[in-house]
Amino acid sequence: MRLVFIDDSEQSNPPRRGLGPLVAIGAVIIDESQLAPFSGRLRAIRSRIGIPSDEELKWKPAKGSFLRSAGGEAVTDLRRSMLVAAKECDVRSAVVVLDHGAAYRSLSTAEAGLKVLAWLYERIEMSLTDYQDLGVVIADQPGGGAKAEK
């Protein structure tokens, strides 16, 4: 059995020139037998870098967080170490990003979100087929509050 963790992201005004609003959703797919070993590796990485146990590990650390104040080297170390740990535990990932300003402009942000979700489900299904396995999807609450949840 595979566990599939999904999370969404939006960026209404990306800094890269020529990009419109971005709507994205990603998945991390892990065999249930690798969940504890991967978690142990993450705890060891957290301890080695000195990240407080109550701080959420984010790819882009939030303002006021330990990682933001620790600087770029700590963040780079965390990212690299997490990717190595994921590879060692055969973790797969899939991400779908839609430039809402260039494609599907006629869709509302919610409709664009549903479109990327459908594409992500397709990629999850392909990955589970590769493994010839079943999966359980565990989703984070979407950003944007109650309106986005609907």
Side-chain angles (χ1 to χ4, degrees):
M1 172 79 67
R2 306 281 163 167
L3 301 174
V4 182
F5 298 93
I6 65 173
D7 197 7
D8 70 314
S9 183
E10 287 185 40
Q11 191 166 12
S12 58
N13 191 18
R16 191 173 298 165
R17 190 175 6 167
L19 286 179
L22 301 176
V23 178
I25 190 162
V28 174
I29 304 166
I30 185 168
D31 187 277
E32 64 183 331
S33 69
Q34 291 299 310
L35 195 58
F38 183 62
S39 178
R41 284 176 169 81
L42 292 181
R43 278 193 303 279
I45 293 165
R46 179 187 289 276
S47 176
R48 179 177 53 75
I49 297 173
I51 303 168
S53 61
D54 62 343
E55 183 166 322
E56 184 178 10
L57 298 179
K58 301 286 279 184
W59 197 255
K60 182 178 179 186
K63 291 179 182 174
S65 68
F66 167 84
L67 282 169
R68 178 64 72 91
S69 64
E73 285 186 35
V75 173
T76 299
D77 183 15
L78 172 65
R79 290 174 180 166
R80 283 188 179 136
S81 299
M82 287 176 67
L83 289 170
V84 167
K87 184 177 186 310
E88 291 171 349
C89 294
D90 193 32
V91 175
R92 283 192 182 182
S93 64
V95 177
V96 178
V97 181
L98 186 141
D99 180 344
H100 198 215
Y104 302 96
R105 277 182 236 181
S106 62
L107 299 180
S108 69
T109 301
E111 291 168 325
L114 290 174
K115 180 72 73 180
V116 296
L117 184 59
W119 291 334
L120 182 71
Y121 284 154
E122 178 182 68
R123 282 148 185 84
I124 292 168
E125 181 182 14
M126 289 186 312
S127 182
L128 293 173
T129 300
D130 286 349
Y131 285 122
Q132 297 181 350
D133 205 352
L134 298 175
V136 174
V137 175
I138 302 155
D140 190 15
Q141 288 184 313
K147 183 179 177 184
E149 279 186 51
K150 286 184 179 183

